Amino acid sequence: AFSNGVKMPFKLISNFKPEGDQPRAIEKLVGGLKSGKQSQTLLGVTGSGKSLHPNEDIWIYREVGEKLTPELTSIGSFVYEILQKQNLTEIQHDTQVASLSPKFGRYYAFSINPNTLKSEIKPITAVHRHRSPQDLWTVKTTCGRSVCITGDHNLWVLRNGRLKLLKTQEVKSGDHLPVMRSLPFGRVALRSLSIIETLKEDKSFFVNCQRKYLNLSGSELRRLGKIIRPKSQHSGYSKLYRVAKQGERLSLFDAKTLECQGVNLGLKYCTVGSNKRGYEMPLVMPLTPDLLELIGYFLAEGHAEDRYFMISCDEREIQLRLERCLESLGFNWRIRSNGYDYVIYSSSYAQLFTQWCGATSRKKHLPPFWPRLNQKQLGLLLSAYFAGDGGVEHDEVTVITASRRLSSEISYALMRFGIWSRIAQRFKRATNSSHKGGIYYKLSISGSDQLRAFADNIAFSCERKIEQLNNILVKRGNTNVDVIPVCGDDIKDLRIAFRWHQKRLAGYAGCARAMISLIESGKRKPSRRLFEKLLKIFEHTARKKNRPNIMNALSSLKRLGSVRWTPIRSISKQTSNLPWVYDLSVMDNETFLAGYGGLFVHNTFTMANVIAKVDRPTLVISHNKTLAAQLYSEFKEFFPENAVE
């Protein structure tokens, strides 16, 4: 806190304001220090009480070698996995925190920087779980996204053109939440899949690896036998002898055990099948374009039983493509008398597709490996899915599914291409059966930019629907799909600073004067295209006239274009029957991508305010290097005019 030997007061510089339980905590801590108390304890941790429902999705990255592998998983399962790795699954108190150290793996979150509003990939420094409060809150947006969180969880919202950090209970309908413009993606294709990872929990599957063990000596078989039967080396040896000499098969559990111990199974030579001895699959399955297309058709129109899976398709063009996929993958099939039900008898593949995509329409989901696909592979899978379940409706591309989970995952997947989608619930009655009907999820893509991105990267694997898509692409696009909720007074102040009339600004921007009037009065929000055009006009003039004060104002407005904005439709409270709720600590930003369809949620801050109010040199002690680095970065940002070392 010293500069050139002169003591400087601690000056906290931040756009944040203490929220929720923070003001009371700050008041108590400061009061205790000023009264001379030697020690105080703040009961709670970063994220305590500010958490998510365990089933809420989060987008994370696992560090595998030198690469970051993306994954969409539930926050509850991710936190529990970390606690298991650290042997911390037994909870002694209401709150449990596990710091992430490199020996347990490195994990990252897709995060938003509150200062720049740019998306970043940031390390996850800790995971949290604590007793659920009595009530939880669900925040829903007009575009169909939602998240279930505790009432004092913090959210970044845009209100009247100003970014505010508010707890859930203070958020109002009409506030805007930030959503990513696109998700990062890898460029390297995923070439193959390990079936052992997909089916490892299924005890009805076995590995045929006789070719691998055929020439092993007796001593080698005994060594390997001890790995799979540690308590009885002889029984392990006998098992592997029968595998090598008599064609007996290994269980998936034994194969996984050998693989985990570093035994090279020669996976490319192994096959896996069920105890019914039907089709056998390669243990390492090549991820071919035909397999990806088949997965797309199964997601749209398929279901699986114990001994077969079936895909229904009555459009001849798609039937021909489906038959080509089945032939290239070596399947035998028959078509039922109705002419559109393709039945493939294979218990092995039926179980595989069930694990990958779900067996029935309401349980459908994208295969767990989809985040690792490159753009071409993901586009091929989605193209087949949209050909089966989607279509063109008025000036939109739409798809309807019975699965809530699938609708959310498709929304995430489309963001890989920068495509913004809206999700709406609708009641749909079956037309070909006596079923009473139920809730379905309609996902819509509209706006010329979004439709063009869909046509260029995904489209339909069906010429009829491609032609319908091309017909709406030539029409004038809807500009209300992607708007920037800027404060109208900010635009007005910039215009007046240059002494322009509305008509003059409208002429520069190529729009009607009435549009400028509506924006300045707050009755309309500019489209992203118009917003960017207005900022370029102001910026060009400010540079030309050397107006640095206007340049500073523009830099604050520019950040609004770094994300998309979606208005909040409703905030509802419901009674919680959960034992735990969960949260993440994310370095620097304390934000991460979560929820149905994908929203950014936030964590919290307290101690910087205590330091500023007490105004005394402060020593902060951390129990690990990662957290120390995070604290240093945060305090350096909060106190830029003071010495933070």
Side-chain angles (χ1 to χ4, degrees):
F2 290 83
S3 178
N4 297 325
V6 179
K7 183 179 185 300
M8 297 178 61
F10 280 98
K11 186 176 180 182
L12 175 60
I13 298 177
S14 174
N15 294 325
F16 306 163
K17 291 183 179 180
E19 301 291 347
D21 54 6
Q22 292 175 347
R24 184 165 177 265
I26 294 165
E27 179 187 357
K28 292 285 186 181
L29 289 170
V30 172
L33 286 168
K34 288 184 175 180
S35 67
K37 289 183 178 178
Q38 293 297 308
S39 61
Q40 299 179 85
T41 302
L42 175 63
L43 293 177
V45 292
T46 301
S48 176
K50 301 169 173 62
S51 304
L52 281 70
H53 189 290
N55 292 338
E56 293 294 348
D57 284 333
I58 55 172
W59 185 271
I60 64 166
Y61 296 87
R62 297 175 186 266
E63 190 174 78
V64 181
E66 296 181 354
K67 296 181 179 179
L68 296 184
T69 302
E71 182 179 329
L72 186 64
T73 185
S74 69
I75 189 170
S77 61
F78 174 68
V79 172
Y80 189 73
E81 175 191 335
I82 301 301
L83 296 177
Q84 275 190 315
K85 284 184 177 181
Q86 301 191 26
N87 198 25
L88 297 173
T89 51
E90 293 296 325
I91 187 167
Q92 303 298 325
H93 307 286
D94 286 347
T95 297
Q96 188 173 24
V97 184
S99 297
L100 287 173
S101 61
K103 71 176 182 178
F104 294 114
R106 297 182 188 271
Y107 302 89
Y108 299 79
F110 191 62
S111 175
I112 185 175
N113 186 323
N115 295 314
T116 63
L117 291 181
K118 291 184 178 179
S119 300
E120 301 171 344
I121 296 176
K122 288 288 186 177
I124 300 172
T125 57
V127 298
H128 313 258
R129 73 168 177 174
H130 65 89
R131 303 285 180 187
S132 174
Q134 182 177 351
D135 297 315
L136 293 175
W137 296 72
T138 298
V139 179
K140 295 183 179 180
T141 69
T142 57
C143 68
R145 288 164 170 79
S146 66
V147 64
C148 183
I149 51 183
T150 53
D152 55 357
H153 194 101
N154 294 326
L155 291 169
W156 281 110
V157 302
L158 197 68
R159 180 180 291 177
N160 299 325
R162 300 292 180 266
L163 198 63
K164 297 178 179 290
L165 184 61
L166 302 175
K167 63 181 181 180
T168 308
Q169 298 174 66
E170 297 172 343
V171 171
K172 300 189 302 186
S173 176
D175 290 340
H176 287 74
L177 292 175
V179 181
M180 69 284 189
R181 290 185 67 178
S182 63
L183 274 172
F185 57 88
R187 299 185 182 278
V188 179
L190 181 62
R191 298 296 182 187
S192 59
L193 300 166
S194 172
I195 303 304
I196 200 171
E197 286 295 330
T198 303
L199 300 174
K200 62 184 177 183
E201 303 298 330
D202 196 320
K203 296 181 179 179
S204 65
F205 283 87
F206 299 89
V207 177
N208 184 356
C209 50
Q210 184 181 12
R211 187 181 302 181
K212 168 65 182 175
Y213 295 114
L214 194 59
N215 299 318
L216 290 181
S217 65
S219 61
E220 278 295 299
L221 290 177
R222 287 188 179 88
R223 184 181 69 83
L224 297 180
K226 194 172 183 179
I227 292 176
I228 64 171
R229 302 287 190 275
K231 294 182 180 180
S232 176
Q233 178 183 355
H234 180 73
S235 63
Y237 165 76
S238 299
K239 173 66 179 176
L240 290 178
Y241 181 86
R242 294 194 300 273
V243 169
K245 306 302 181 183
Q246 300 173 12
E248 194 168 309
R249 297 183 295 174
L250 275 176
S251 69
L252 275 179
F253 179 82
D254 286 339
K256 183 65 178 176
T257 301
L258 290 170
E259 190 179 58
C260 290
Q261 293 295 322
V263 177
N264 178 14
L265 289 177
L267 297 182
K268 64 181 179 181
Y269 301 116
C270 299
T271 57
V272 61
S274 71
N275 52 16
K276 297 182 175 64
R277 290 281 185 176
Y279 280 102
E280 288 203 346
M281 305 175 288
L283 197 53
V284 176
M285 182 173 290
L287 193 55
T288 63
D290 287 325
L291 179 57
L292 286 167
E293 191 170 349
L294 181 63
I295 291 172
Y297 293 136
F298 179 82
L299 280 169
E301 302 291 356
H303 83 270
E305 301 290 346
D306 287 340
R307 304 195 64 176
Y308 67 90
F309 68 96
M310 182 172 71
I311 298 174
S312 300
C313 173
D314 60 0
E315 186 151 350
R316 186 56 187 158
E317 183 182 353
I318 298 180
Q319 286 180 341
L320 292 173
R321 295 183 69 97
L322 175 60
E323 290 173 7
R324 189 207 68 224
C325 292
L326 294 173
E327 286 176 0
S328 71
L329 294 168
F331 287 116
N332 293 319
W333 74 90
R334 74 176 183 86
I335 305 175
R336 289 184 174 174
S337 57
N338 57 24
Y340 56 80
D341 284 343
Y342 285 72
V343 183
I344 301 95
Y345 287 100
S346 168
S347 58
S348 299
Y349 279 95
Q351 290 301 312
L352 183 64
F353 274 75
T354 297
Q355 293 292 326
W356 276 349
C357 306
T360 59
S361 61
R362 295 209 172 271
K363 295 182 179 180
K364 289 286 179 66
H365 55 84
L366 287 178
F369 54 81
W370 78 262
R372 293 184 284 150
L373 300 175
N374 68 8
Q375 296 296 80
K376 185 176 180 180
Q377 291 176 312
L378 182 58
L380 181 59
L381 188 156
L382 292 178
S383 177
Y385 170 68
F386 273 86
D389 256 0
V392 176
E393 186 177 324
H394 305 300
D395 58 349
E396 298 179 326
V397 169
T398 63
V399 67
I400 297 176
T401 175
S403 169
R404 184 178 187 274
R405 177 179 171 183
L406 181 59
S407 64
S408 176
E409 291 179 346
I410 293 294
S411 177
Y412 276 93
L414 290 172
M415 291 307 299
R416 280 269 302 266
F417 304 97
I419 298 173
W420 168 273
S421 58
R422 292 173 289 114
I423 309 172
Q425 292 186 27
R426 60 184 292 183
F427 182 84
K428 183 180 176 183
R429 196 180 303 277
T431 57
N432 57 351
S433 73
S434 59
H435 192 274
K436 295 181 180 179
I439 296 296
Y440 287 76
Y441 301 88
K442 179 182 178 181
L443 188 144
S444 305
I445 303 168
S446 58
S448 57
D449 292 344
Q450 308 304 301
L451 291 169
R452 173 53 61 189
F454 179 85
D456 291 343
N457 296 284
I458 300 172
F460 301 96
S461 61
C462 170
E463 288 297 329
R464 178 179 64 84
K465 293 182 180 181
I466 289 176
E467 184 177 349
Q468 292 174 344
L469 175 59
N470 289 333
N471 289 336
I472 64 172
L473 284 174
V474 298
K475 298 179 182 178
R476 184 176 179 180
N478 182 357
T479 59
N480 292 323
V481 174
D482 186 9
V483 298
I484 308 297
V486 63
C487 177
D489 287 339
D490 291 339
I491 301 296
K492 183 177 181 180
D493 291 344
L494 288 167
R495 177 180 61 79
I496 292 174
F498 292 123
R499 299 181 180 180
W500 292 344
H501 295 295
Q502 289 180 346
K503 186 175 181 180
R504 186 174 181 183
L505 178 58
Y508 289 150
C511 66
R513 186 205 64 81
M515 174 60 73
I516 301 297
S517 177
L518 289 170
I519 291 172
E520 292 185 353
S521 64
K523 294 179 181 178
R524 287 284 296 272
K525 305 299 181 187
S527 67
R528 180 176 297 275
R529 191 175 298 175
L530 179 57
F531 175 76
E532 292 174 349
K533 189 178 290 187
L534 289 172
L535 292 191
K536 284 182 179 179
I537 293 166
F538 290 134
E539 185 176 20
H540 174 75
T541 309
R543 289 186 188 279
K544 188 176 179 179
K545 296 188 175 184
N546 193 22
R547 301 284 294 273
N549 58 326
I550 292 181
M551 294 298 294
N552 291 334
L554 286 170
S555 64
S556 179
L557 286 179
K558 269 185 178 180
R559 65 178 185 159
L560 298 182
S562 299
V563 292
R564 295 183 185 275
W565 297 96
T566 178
I568 293 175
R569 186 183 70 194
S570 65
I571 307 99
S572 58
K573 181 171 68 172
Q574 62 266 1
T575 302
S576 172
N577 58 357
L578 300 169
W580 316 109
V581 284
Y582 300 82
D583 208 354
L584 309 178
S585 286
V586 179
M587 184 175 287
D588 299 332
N589 298 337
E590 292 299 350
T591 61
F592 54 94
L593 184 63
Y596 174 70
L599 294 165
F600 285 113
V601 296
H602 187 266
N603 215 294
T604 182
F605 88 122
T606 296
M607 288 310 300
N609 283 271
V610 176
I611 294 170
K613 290 178 182 293
V614 175
D615 196 28
R616 288 167 58 183
T618 304
L619 174 66
V620 179
I621 299 175
S622 169
H623 60 280
N624 67 59
K625 291 180 182 179
T626 303
L627 183 56
Q630 177 187 351
L631 291 170
Y632 167 77
S633 175
E634 291 177 354
F635 283 130
K636 190 77 173 173
E637 185 176 333
F638 288 141
F639 299 108
E641 298 180 7
N642 299 105
V644 181
E645 304 294 344

